[in-house]
């Protein structure tokens, strides 16, 4: 790795908004199952197939797995954002272009954390709701929401990253 400048990137208004929404999504991902935990049956949906049907049940304590994974991933992204000079870049990083490249990559990482938080929130919501209702299939709207959200946000973020790297 070349000798890249190490600079601190200040957060702008959009960064604060993304981080705030991410933290709120994380909080809700923990609070929703906490509120309903005592009402959940012993076994809850733990895995869904591509049709949205439950294909595995586990003990209700597994409801905490998704919020914990979301928290761990977002914490890792938070600390990675403090070292953008370690990221991979398409172009050579110089003192002149470092700030713009670092800022773009940090925004992409923040947005990725937001996407992770929202997706894990939706899946946790589905798990708890299906556990409470005893239904064996997710509602069609949530099934499509997850697929389209995942597709659009993943490829949208990737497209934005490619666009920004070529622009820089």
């Amino acid at each position: 790795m070349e000798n890249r400048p190490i600079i601190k990137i200040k957060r702008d208004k959009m960064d604060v908004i993304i981080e705030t929404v991410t933290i709120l999504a994380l909080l809700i991902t923990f609070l929703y199952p906490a509120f309903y935990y005592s009402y959940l049956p012993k076994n809850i949906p733990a895995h869904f197939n591509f049709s949205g049907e439950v294909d595995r049940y586990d003990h209700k304590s597994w409801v905490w797995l998704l919020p914990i994974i979301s928290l761990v991933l977002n914490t890792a992204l938070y600390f990675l954002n403090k070292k953008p000079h370690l990221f991979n870049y398409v172009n050579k990083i110089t003192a002149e272009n470092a700030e713009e490249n670092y800022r773009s990559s940090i925004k992409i990482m923040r947005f990725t954390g937001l996407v992770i938080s929202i997706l894990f929130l939706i899946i946790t919501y589905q798990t708890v709701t299906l556990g409470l209702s005893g239904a064996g299939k997710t509602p069609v709207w949530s099934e499509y929401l997850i697929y389209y959200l995942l597709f659009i946000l993943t490829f949208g973020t990737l497209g934005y990253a490619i666009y920004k790297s070529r622009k820089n």
Side-chain angles (χ1 to χ4, degrees), residues 56-95:
R56 191 181 87 227
Y57 289 85
D58 278 317
H59 188 269
K60 69 180 186 177
S61 61
W62 278 84
V63 76
W64 300 113
L65 182 64
L66 294 173
I68 290 169
I69 291 172
S70 183
L71 179 64
V72 168
L73 290 172
N74 273 285
T75 301
L77 289 173
Y78 174 81
F79 285 109
L80 279 173
N81 268 343
K82 300 216 176 274
K83 300 189 180 284
H85 60 280
L86 299 177
F87 296 175
N88 288 326
Y89 295 92
V90 175
N91 50 351
K92 182 174 174 61
I93 302 299
T94 64

Side-chain angles (χ1 to χ4, degrees), residues 99-118:
E99 184 174 356
E100 188 174 349
N101 279 284
Y102 291 177
R103 185 176 311 284
S104 293
S105 62
I106 287 171
K107 282 193 182 307
I108 290 166
M109 294 286 271
R110 277 196 181 100
F111 190 73
T112 300
L114 175 62
V115 170
I116 289 169
S117 297
I118 291 170

Side-chain angles (χ1 to χ4, degrees), residues 18 21-22 25 70 74 77 108-123 146 149-157:
I18 290 172
V21 174
T22 301
S70 183
N74 273 285
L77 289 173
I108 290 166
M109 294 286 271
R110 277 196 181 100
F111 190 73
T112 300
L114 175 62
V115 170
I116 289 169
S117 297
I118 291 170
L119 288 172
F120 276 73
L121 172 59
I122 292 168
I123 297 168
I146 289 175
L149 190 66
L150 184 60
F151 181 81
I152 291 168
L153 295 178
T154 300
F155 288 104
T157 303

Side-chain angles (χ1 to χ4, degrees), residues 125-164:
Y125 172 82
Q126 286 180 331
T127 301
V128 172
T129 303
L130 289 177
L132 292 169
S133 72
K137 185 173 181 357
T138 60
V140 173
W141 67 265
S142 67
E143 187 180 322
Y144 287 116
L145 176 67
I146 289 175
Y147 294 141
Y148 289 127
L149 190 66
L150 184 60
F151 181 81
I152 291 168
L153 295 178
T154 300
F155 288 104
T157 303
L158 181 62
Y160 176 77
I162 291 169
Y163 167 77
K164 287 300 279 187

Side-chain angles (χ1 to χ4, degrees), residues 3-4 19 21 39 46 50 53 55 60 70-71 80 118 135:
N3 225 358
R4 293 180 179 165
E19 286 181 354
V21 174
Y39 302 106
F50 281 109
E53 298 164 343
D55 60 6
K60 69 180 186 177
S70 183
L71 179 64
L80 279 173
I118 291 170

